[in-house]
């Protein structure tokens, strides 16, 4: 799991830079800094940090590995975060790719151009990138067979943390919508802070071919992170 920073003593060493409301949730994200390290926090829980990005980059590498030889691949990333998944996807894909990033929280988009601009390293200006201030669930529902890959890193795993409405991304109907939105041979890739057998079983029941990758946490002794690569069969009608 990503680390809890509550109660206040753990956050005392951090300087709060900005806060931003989560639409529809009555909660807020906080951007905090300690020396040259930045965190985005919700309810005292670290969502993402500038110094730990290995599994987020691996999410993109695993999801996009099979798209290198596909003409004009279209990739949807749910959650901008600190841009590590986006930058890794850009590194994997060719010049004819399109990467759409759906980010629900306006403050995250503002931070990417403001106090975290040095972390993003200019990747938002890549001509292959389109940023949408939108619920990724709505983008998924925008049309059938629209995407070659859908990457989800909007929570701490397959359950709504940032927004309880995100549960619908991971339930049976949500997975069916993702299946419908992928082209045959397309990939749904989901990041999680820990294993989840029930979610893996739901992926399989939906019709996906599933490979679970367990990635060593960047903190010694912590539970491995998980990336599920769920592929819509190429011969599915």
């Amino acid at each position: 799991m990503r680390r809890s920073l509550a109660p206040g003593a753990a956050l005392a060493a951090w300087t709060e830079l900005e806060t931003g409301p989560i639409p529809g949730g009555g909660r807020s994200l906080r951007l905090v800094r300690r020396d040259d390290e930045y965190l985005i926090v919700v309810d005292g829980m670290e969502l993402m940090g500038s110094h730990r990005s290995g599994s987020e980059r691996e999410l993109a590498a695993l999801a996009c590995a099979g798209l290198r030889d596909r003409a004009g691949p279209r990739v949807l990333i749910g959650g901008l975060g600190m841009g590590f998944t986006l930058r890794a996807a850009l590194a994997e894909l060719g010049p004819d790719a399109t990467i759409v990033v759906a980010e629900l929280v306006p403050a995250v988009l503002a931070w990417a151009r403001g106090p975290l601009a040095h972390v993003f390293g200019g990747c938002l200006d890549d001509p292959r990138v389109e940023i949408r201030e939108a619920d990724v669930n709505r983008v998924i529902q925008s049309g059938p067979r629209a995407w070659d890959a859908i990457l989800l890193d909007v929570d701490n795993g397959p359950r709504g943390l940032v927004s309880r409405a995100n549960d619908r991304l991971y339930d049976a109907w949500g997975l069916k919508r993702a299946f419908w939105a992928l082209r045959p041979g397309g990939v749904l890739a989901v990041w999680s802070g820990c294993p989840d057998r029930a979610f893996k079983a739901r992926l399989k029941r939906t019709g996906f071919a599933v490979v679970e990758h367990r990635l060593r946490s960047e903190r010694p002794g912590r539970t491995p992170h998980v990336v599920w690569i769920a592929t819509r069969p190429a011969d599915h009608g």
Side-chain angles (χ1 to χ4, degrees), residues 127-148:
R128 294 171 289 174
V129 176
E130 176 187 342
I131 303 296
R132 298 186 191 177
E133 185 181 316
D135 182 344
V136 67
N137 186 56
R138 290 187 176 273
V139 181
I140 289 172
Q141 295 182 64
S142 61
R145 301 191 177 199
W147 307 101
D148 294 285

Side-chain angles (χ1 to χ4, degrees), residues 75-87 90 98-113 120 122-136 139 147:
V75 174
L76 172 61
I77 298 177
L80 178 60
M82 293 189 177
F84 295 115
T85 298
L86 172 59
R87 290 173 68 178
L90 287 169
T98 297
I99 304 176
V100 175
V101 181
E103 174 54 56
L104 178 67
V105 182
V108 173
L109 300 175
W111 297 339
R113 295 286 190 185
F120 280 80
C123 67
L124 299 182
D125 298 320
D126 191 295
R128 294 171 289 174
V129 176
E130 176 187 342
I131 303 296
R132 298 186 191 177
E133 185 181 316
D135 182 344
V136 67
V139 181
W147 307 101

Side-chain angles (χ1 to χ4, degrees), residues 9 28 34 38 46 60 71 79 82 111 118 124 135 144-145 152 163-164 182 186 194:
S28 295
R34 182 179 63 188
Y38 294 80
E46 175 191 340
M82 293 189 177
W111 297 339
H118 65 289
L124 299 182
D135 182 344
R145 301 191 177 199
L152 297 180
S163 171
R164 300 305 178 197
L182 286 167
C194 60

Side-chain angles (χ1 to χ4, degrees), residues 10-29:
L11 276 174
W14 297 80
T15 300
E16 182 174 299
L17 301 180
E18 298 185 25
T19 63
I22 300 170
R27 304 156 76 208
S28 295
L29 296 183

Side-chain angles (χ1 to χ4, degrees), residues 145-231:
R145 301 191 177 199
W147 307 101
D148 294 285
I150 299 171
L151 286 62
L152 297 180
D153 184 13
V154 296
D155 291 292
N156 201 34
R159 62 188 59 82
L161 176 62
V162 172
S163 171
R164 300 305 178 197
N166 284 350
D167 284 337
R168 61 191 174 180
L169 289 169
Y170 313 111
D171 63 18
W173 282 108
L175 296 181
K176 288 178 182 178
R177 286 190 292 266
F179 192 98
W180 170 82
L182 286 167
R183 295 170 179 166
V187 167
L188 172 65
V190 182
W191 186 98
S192 177
C194 60
D196 188 321
R197 292 182 180 178
F199 179 69
K200 183 178 179 181
R202 282 200 302 278
L203 286 168
K204 291 181 176 180
R205 287 196 299 270
T206 304
F208 287 108
V210 182
V211 178
E212 179 179 283
H213 299 267
R214 298 201 178 194
L215 309 174
R216 187 180 64 180
S217 172
E218 292 173 81
R219 295 189 187 89
R222 295 296 182 101
T223 301
H225 296 166
V226 175
V227 170
W228 292 283
I229 298 297
T231 303

